[in-house]
Amino acid sequence: NTIKDTLEPTLKDLKVPLHFVKLDLGDVPIRTKNMFIHRVDCGAGKNARQTGIQINVDVEWDGNCDIMLQATLSKSAKITFGVKAIKLSGRMHILLSPLTTELPVISAVQYGFTNPPNIQLEFTGAVKTVTSLSFVQSALVGVIQSSLASMLVLPNRMVMPIDLGSYDYLDTYQPPVGMIRLTAVSGRGFKVAKKVRLLKDVPDVYCKISLGASKAVRPPFRTSTKKNNLTPSWRDESGDFILYDMDQKIYVEVFDEDKGPLDPDDELGEARISVRDLFRNDGICELELELEGKDKTGCYITLSAELFHLSEQVHSLSSLKYEGKDQLCGLATIIVTKAFDIPVPKEDAATYVKVMYGESSENEKTFYTGIVTDYPGYDALNPMYDSVFHVPITSAMLQRDNGIVFTLIDGEGANGTTGHGE
């Protein structure tokens, strides 16, 4: 039901609306391998320096599911199709923190994917034959990916309290590793393309760089375009990202810029590398580009990185070293833990918190906690939201007063009651 409730609002907004008719994920267990266990420091503010254990593990799931969806082509035309298999693979992290001296030894478990997982769906029925449904295969995967990114891919984690007597979200919070500055230093191996009528085209090369699931919340960093250049260089251009785990992957996509909407940019290839592997090479590495994740191109991009650790000292907010459109000078951390004495009937409560940074400005960002309803083991009138939001700060954002507004909202209850609003 959680999966259905999460995906259906987005599925209804597709150009051909979809909704679930049946959802059975089967009984195939998840396989795990390549497990690595290590100690971590957790906590925020006065709760800092708590100790926890992190488990990093590769997971694979080849599910024999039975899923039926219905597509609404018009008021009178509806088509049902199925998904008979889902393949999912990726690297997960499981954080046990903080450690205690009494059973059950840990206060809470947090878990999620380090990078967006790989998802493959096998369809049956009309989706494979009806032309108007041809977009569904990619659209459905995109909806699942974006939903996972909003809940279960760093910086997002699911939190499960184990010992409510000792549990405090501020003890479990794990701050980011720091800020990473990425530069596509140079490229080589690009070739002159033959166009119509024997004309030759020297590529106009540019790169897009992203980290982990960062594309879900902000556009990738884009370099300038190097016109008519087989050996482009961008060593004076860099993009900054908040780093949450050394196993997060850096994604580099390279394009040949073309002119006009009827002539889209040509993809020259892509490459990826984990932050850990990049720093094992002293923070610089030459990567060969691939097309569709498998075909080598003979084209290369040299990528470099510089890591900045977070500090309570604020000198970076005024340093020239951190100025620039795509460069960060700080990080605002917003933690929403709980609310008290919600004035609605317990059985009707379905509350969440809306957090708005920089309202009515070009820097406006909006976040939402999860919805808390009446459920065994949960106090809906004193709900725990246990959510953290990060706002990367640029020097330009400091030029105006970007306040933070918190709004407590009661939505439609699980029992169908109308919400009480703000």
Side-chain angles (χ1 to χ4, degrees):
N1 287 334
T2 300
I3 296 174
K4 181 179 179 181
D5 293 343
T6 301
L7 296 180
E8 283 221 316
T10 306
L11 295 177
K12 290 179 180 178
D13 292 335
L14 296 176
K15 63 181 182 181
V16 176
L18 305 175
H19 77 271
F20 286 102
V21 176
K22 181 179 181 181
L23 180 58
D24 182 355
L25 296 179
D27 55 3
V28 176
I30 294 175
R31 299 191 302 272
T32 62
K33 61 181 181 180
N34 300 329
M35 185 177 295
F36 176 65
I37 303 173
H38 60 101
R39 170 181 165 170
V40 293
D41 293 325
C42 304
K46 67 179 181 179
N47 300 58
R49 296 300 176 187
Q50 298 288 338
T51 300
I53 293 174
Q54 182 165 321
I55 304 170
N56 298 329
V57 59
D58 290 335
V59 298
E60 295 180 354
W61 181 53
D62 193 351
N64 60 341
C65 59
D66 183 7
I67 300 174
M68 298 297 295
L69 295 106
Q70 187 174 79
T72 303
L73 303 179
S74 66
K75 290 184 178 180
S76 59
K78 297 181 179 180
I79 296 177
T80 301
F81 63 93
V83 178
K84 69 175 183 179
I86 298 178
K87 292 185 178 181
L88 180 147
S89 61
R91 189 153 184 84
M92 290 196 74
H93 57 272
I94 303 168
L95 182 61
L96 313 176
S97 69
L99 303 182
T100 66
T101 56
E102 299 179 357
L103 292 175
V105 184
I106 56 174
S107 292
V109 175
Q110 300 178 71
Y111 56 92
F113 287 97
T114 307
N115 298 289
N118 180 47
I119 298 174
Q120 299 177 33
L121 305 181
E122 184 176 347
F123 292 89
T124 62
V127 73
K128 303 182 73 173
T129 58
V130 179
T131 304
S132 58
L133 294 179
S134 59
F135 82 99
V136 166
Q137 299 187 46
S138 59
L140 194 53
V141 172
V143 168
I144 295 173
Q145 285 281 22
S146 61
S147 297
L148 278 175
S150 68
M151 298 186 300
L152 268 178
V153 182
L154 283 176
N156 301 301
R157 298 185 178 99
M158 297 293 286
V159 183
M160 181 185 300
I162 301 298
D163 183 1
L164 289 175
S166 64
Y167 172 71
D168 183 340
Y169 182 70
L170 294 179
D171 290 336
T172 72
Y173 168 69
Q174 186 179 30
V177 174
M179 181 194 81
I180 187 170
R181 178 164 292 171
L182 299 174
T183 304
V185 180
S186 60
R188 67 177 180 90
F190 298 103
K191 303 173 180 64
V192 176
K194 292 183 179 180
K195 296 288 187 177
V196 295
R197 296 181 182 177
L198 300 180
L199 295 177
K200 294 184 178 181
D201 177 36
V202 180
D204 304 323
V205 186
Y206 69 90
C207 301
K208 289 183 177 180
I209 303 175
S210 57
L211 176 70
S214 65
K215 284 198 295 186
V217 295
R218 56 175 278 196
F221 165 67
R222 187 195 189 282
T223 68
S224 62
T225 301
K226 299 302 179 181
K227 299 285 188 178
N228 300 320
N229 202 322
L230 300 179
T231 56
S233 174
W234 303 274
R235 62 178 64 252
D236 295 326
E237 304 176 29
S238 58
D240 293 349
F241 300 84
I242 301 302
L243 177 67
Y244 294 91
D245 192 286
M246 294 298 288
D247 286 326
Q248 282 187 283
K249 289 184 179 179
I250 304 164
Y251 301 90
V252 183
E253 301 170 280
V254 184
F255 298 88
D256 176 12
E257 184 177 79
D258 291 313
K259 298 179 181 179
L262 299 180
D263 188 13
D265 297 349
D266 299 319
E267 184 179 357
L268 298 177
E270 61 180 18
R272 63 187 64 183
I273 186 174
S274 72
V275 174
R276 188 182 305 278
D277 287 340
L278 183 56
F279 280 105
R280 282 174 177 164
N281 286 278
D282 297 324
I284 188 166
C285 185
E286 186 177 67
L287 306 173
E288 183 173 6
L289 303 180
E290 299 179 354
L291 283 172
E292 297 182 356
K294 54 184 179 181
D295 295 328
K296 302 289 186 181
T297 64
C299 303
Y300 296 84
I301 291 291
T302 297
L303 183 71
S304 71
E306 187 177 4
L307 181 61
F308 299 80
H309 292 285
L310 299 179
S311 169
E312 294 182 357
Q313 305 299 320
V314 295
H315 65 274
S316 65
L317 300 181
S318 57
S319 172
L320 295 178
K321 185 177 181 180
Y322 303 94
E323 288 189 350
K325 175 178 177 293
D326 295 293
Q327 298 189 344
L328 305 179
C329 63
L331 178 70
T333 300
I334 305 168
I335 300 178
V336 182
T337 55
K338 63 189 305 182
F340 301 91
D341 301 327
I342 303 294
V344 300
K346 183 174 69 171
E347 62 275 10
D348 296 347
T351 62
Y352 60 96
V353 177
K354 174 184 176 182
V355 181
M356 182 173 289
Y357 172 89
E359 185 176 10
S360 301
S361 76
E362 61 180 8
N363 304 316
E364 180 177 301
K365 299 181 186 298
T366 305
F367 309 96
Y368 298 91
T369 69
I371 298 174
V372 179
T373 60
D374 184 32
Y375 189 79
Y378 290 87
D379 185 351
L381 301 185
N382 297 280
M384 295 188 298
Y385 300 107
D386 295 343
S387 300
V388 60
F389 310 107
H390 291 126
V391 181
I393 304 297
T394 64
S395 58
M397 294 168 66
L398 298 175
Q399 304 306 312
R400 59 177 298 157
D401 182 17
N402 292 301
I404 302 173
V405 178
F406 298 87
T407 307
L408 179 63
I409 301 173
D410 180 51
E412 181 179 330
N415 56 3
T417 56
T418 303
H420 294 77
E422 298 183 2

